[in-house]
Amino acid sequence: MNNSNLSPTDRVFIHKSLEATIRIGLLLIITVWCFKIVEPFIAPIIWGIIIAIAAHPLYSRLRTTLGERHKLAATVFTFIFLIILIVPTVLLTDTLIDGIKMLAEKIKDGSLSIPPPPENLGNIMIIGKPLAKFWLLASQNIDNALQQLTPAFKVIGSWLLSAATGAGLAILHFIVAIIIAGVLLANSSGSNRVARAITYRLADEKGADLADLAEATVRSVANGILGVAVIQSLLAGISFMVVGLPAAGLWALLCLIFSIAQIGTAPILIPVIIYLFYNADTFTAVAFLVWAIPLSLIDNILKPILLGRGVKTPMAVIFIGAIGGLLSSGVIGLFIGAVILALGYELFLLWLNTDSSVE
């Protein structure tokens, strides 16, 4: 096209369009570049924000106790959380590694022994007979039983290796996230202003409502779902260590996954009880059985208390967020996925209600 045939108005329009395109392109390049730089820190930053929001009421009480000294309260908060979360995690990780090594050595030297199945196991509908048959084969010839499970072991082994790697990274993320949460809490007033300024720019006068909803959602899910799951899994892991269960860290991790996914700890505790009755003394097995009953039911007591004042996100959303986060981002995604999907769900509902009210 010959520029001489264009009117002055068209030339001005093309010039402004070209200039706007170049500016938008440069902004996109800078945005993508910045995202690539901060990408390794996104997970711990998000998790740090979640911890800060969930723990802010507790931090406020601690700050008041310490005479409104913000930095001191944040330092004490960070130190306490590091002790509470990191120490049990490291202990359970050590038991997980030791348990896997012990299991591998027993399988290798042929010293792994499995008791015969219970007499009434075959009476269970659908799965009873095949389970009893395989259990009997494992008790008589463990090598043949393992050969039948070779395809499954390959998948499980690959998942366990990935989970172990993810667990190591998750521990590092937890440490960084707790430190980030301490920094955010020390500057909580400034952080609150920034958050509300961002939501205001995104949604104008609805920004305050979005900020309040996001805070309520994060606090509700973090305390009512993640907090209860962490408490349950830590108590289960400690009890596994006390009774001498092999690979206690692995079973505690499975308890955590099942708890966040709203399945509960019963699918893990029941096999452990059976194992203890076959391999431990009667007192230990009975004591663990008595302890396991309230442990499996504690979530029914804590969840109504911690979720009662928050938003009511459907359990299906929590389940999809937890499992999806675990599959996409490893162990740390187990926590972040549940919170982010719940937050997105609540914001979507707010958008639907706002849209219908406008009509």
Side-chain angles (χ1 to χ4, degrees):
M1 179 182 293
N2 191 351
N3 290 336
S4 61
N5 297 330
L6 297 175
S7 65
T9 303
D10 291 337
R11 291 175 184 173
V12 171
F13 174 76
I14 292 174
H15 174 73
K16 290 185 176 181
S17 300
L18 181 60
E19 185 174 345
T21 301
I22 294 174
R23 289 180 178 179
I24 293 173
L26 289 175
L27 287 175
L28 288 175
I29 292 173
I30 294 174
T31 302
V32 173
W33 203 345
C34 291
F35 176 79
K36 289 292 184 181
I37 293 173
V38 302
E39 186 176 10
F41 304 96
I42 290 179
I45 289 174
I46 294 176
W47 185 230
I49 294 172
I50 292 172
I51 294 175
I53 293 175
H56 187 265
L58 179 62
Y59 165 78
S60 297
R61 298 191 198 101
L62 178 62
R63 185 185 63 199
T64 302
T65 303
L66 296 176
E68 297 298 330
R69 286 179 285 185
H70 298 259
K71 293 183 179 179
L72 177 60
T75 302
V76 173
F77 164 86
T78 303
F79 183 72
I80 292 175
F81 261 63
L82 285 173
I83 293 177
I84 293 175
L85 294 179
I86 301 304
V87 172
T89 302
V90 172
L91 292 176
L92 291 174
T93 302
D94 289 340
T95 62
L96 170 60
I97 296 173
D98 294 339
I100 292 176
K101 287 181 178 179
M102 182 185 66
L103 180 62
E105 291 175 357
K106 285 189 175 183
I107 294 176
K108 185 177 180 179
D109 59 23
S111 61
L112 180 65
S113 61
I114 298 178
E119 296 180 359
N120 297 327
L121 182 61
N123 297 331
I124 300 177
M125 294 180 59
I126 303 175
I127 65 171
K129 290 184 178 179
L131 181 59
K133 182 179 179 181
F134 178 79
W135 192 332
L136 180 62
L137 174 63
S139 65
Q140 295 174 348
N141 193 330
I142 186 65
D143 292 334
N144 289 341
L146 291 176
Q147 287 178 1
Q148 295 185 12
L149 293 177
T150 298
F153 276 151
K154 289 182 179 179
V155 177
I156 295 174
S158 176
W159 181 85
L160 286 176
L161 181 61
S162 175
T165 304
L169 292 175
I171 294 173
L172 180 60
H173 283 173
F174 276 130
I175 296 174
V176 176
I178 291 172
I179 296 174
I180 292 174
V183 173
L184 292 175
L185 288 172
N187 302 275
S188 56
S189 58
S191 302
N192 183 57
R193 286 195 300 269
V194 171
R196 293 187 177 275
I198 292 174
T199 54
Y200 179 81
R201 291 299 302 269
L202 291 174
D204 294 332
E205 67 277 0
K206 292 291 183 181
D209 295 335
L210 290 176
D212 292 337
L213 176 62
E215 181 180 351
T217 303
V218 170
R219 187 166 295 156
S220 177
V221 176
N223 292 335
I225 303 298
L226 306 185
V228 173
V230 169
I231 292 173
Q232 264 192 310
S233 59
L234 284 178
L235 292 176
I238 293 172
S239 63
F240 294 159
M241 294 173 60
V242 171
V243 300
L245 181 69
L250 173 61
W251 304 117
L253 176 61
L254 292 176
C255 285
L256 178 64
I257 295 173
F258 280 35
S259 296
I260 293 180
Q262 304 308 295
I263 298 174
T265 57
I268 304 300
L269 295 176
I270 292 174
V272 172
I273 293 171
I274 296 173
Y275 171 84
L276 291 176
F277 270 100
Y278 272 104
N279 295 275
D281 59 89
T282 304
F283 174 79
T284 301
V286 172
F288 184 84
L289 173 61
V290 174
W291 163 250
I293 294 174
L295 177 61
S296 62
L297 299 176
I298 191 175
D299 57 328
N300 296 320
I301 300 173
L302 294 178
K303 282 180 184 176
I305 297 174
L306 297 175
L307 283 172
R309 298 181 181 178
V311 292
K312 300 295 181 65
T313 305
M315 292 300 102
V317 175
I318 303 298
F319 175 82
I320 295 173
I323 301 302
L326 175 66
L327 295 177
S328 62
S329 304
V331 177
I332 193 71
L334 187 70
F335 300 91
I336 296 177
V339 176
I340 296 301
L341 194 61
L343 176 59
Y345 173 82
E346 295 296 336
L347 292 176
F348 177 70
L349 288 185
L350 177 64
W351 175 75
L352 286 180
N353 294 333
T354 302
D355 186 61
S356 60
S357 64
V358 172
E359 293 177 358

